[in-house]
Amino acid sequence: MAYLGHEHIYAFDDFITEDDASELIRFHDEEFEWDGSMSWVAPLEQYNHGPVVLTGAYAEEVKRRQSEWSPTSTHPLSAVYGEKIMKIASETYGRTLVHRLTPYYKKFLVGSDHSPHADNEALDKGVVDFMPRYSPSEFNTPVLIEVAANLYLNDDFEGGELFFPMRELSIKPKARQLILFPGGHEYIHGVKQITSGDRCVLFSPLTSPQRLLLHMHAYNTHHQLEEVLNERR
């Protein structure tokens, strides 16, 4: 583990084997078929024996989305490294963290970038919004991201640095390196423009079981109220 000079930002070199990194890039370039449901639910095994027990409308929506997955929606290695990411993040931050979503592949092409943002909070003129755009009617919400995990599969590109403007920190990711950092407003971050090559990342947003369960109960309550209102109409 490498401490990157700023509190709670960590890097782990050689987190994935060279062969596995190459296989994930090959799969997404040659076989992957995008399914709108596949990235927007956490792995089923997390719910089978993890700290989160699903109930109500939220559980039904998880089952519905997973039933729509095709064989080429995801690669088995995503689940393998997702488990490793969840374990090492929990150990690093000293609390249980689980997936908000199944780890998914992101490719930044030449000319692309990502403007500075915080994952689960917003900062406007010095005022922190701890629940930006939150709605209990939404199955997924950025508010749940407590820790971001970026597993970089390659480094044969120029530009594409991960940067934290409030901390004057810029990181050029190395191939097969995992970088962890919190999702709060203190960790506003972005991606500098890619000037050559493709930047390939396996991204995993992590949350605490408590936060995921709170959202699940809010989601279920919203749907129960909707059912009652529909019956009265």
Side-chain angles (χ1 to χ4, degrees), residues 76-117:
L77 285 174
S78 296
V80 171
Y81 284 98
E83 285 291 316
K84 289 184 63 178
I85 289 170
M86 189 166 62
K87 180 179 180 181
I88 202 165
S90 297
E91 292 173 351
T92 299
Y93 291 104
R95 67 183 191 276
T96 299
L97 292 165
V98 297
H99 293 290
R100 180 177 82 89
L101 305 173
T102 298
Y104 64 96
Y105 184 79
K106 298 171 69 175
K107 176 180 278 191
F108 291 76
L109 305 177
V110 172
S112 63
D113 58 20
H114 204 323
S115 58
H117 62 283

Side-chain angles (χ1 to χ4, degrees), residues 29-46:
D29 282 347
E30 299 177 8
E31 299 182 38
F32 176 75
E33 293 182 9
W34 175 255
D35 177 340
S37 69
M38 58 80 55
S39 288
W40 311 120
V41 62
L44 183 61
E45 58 270 17
Q46 173 176 297

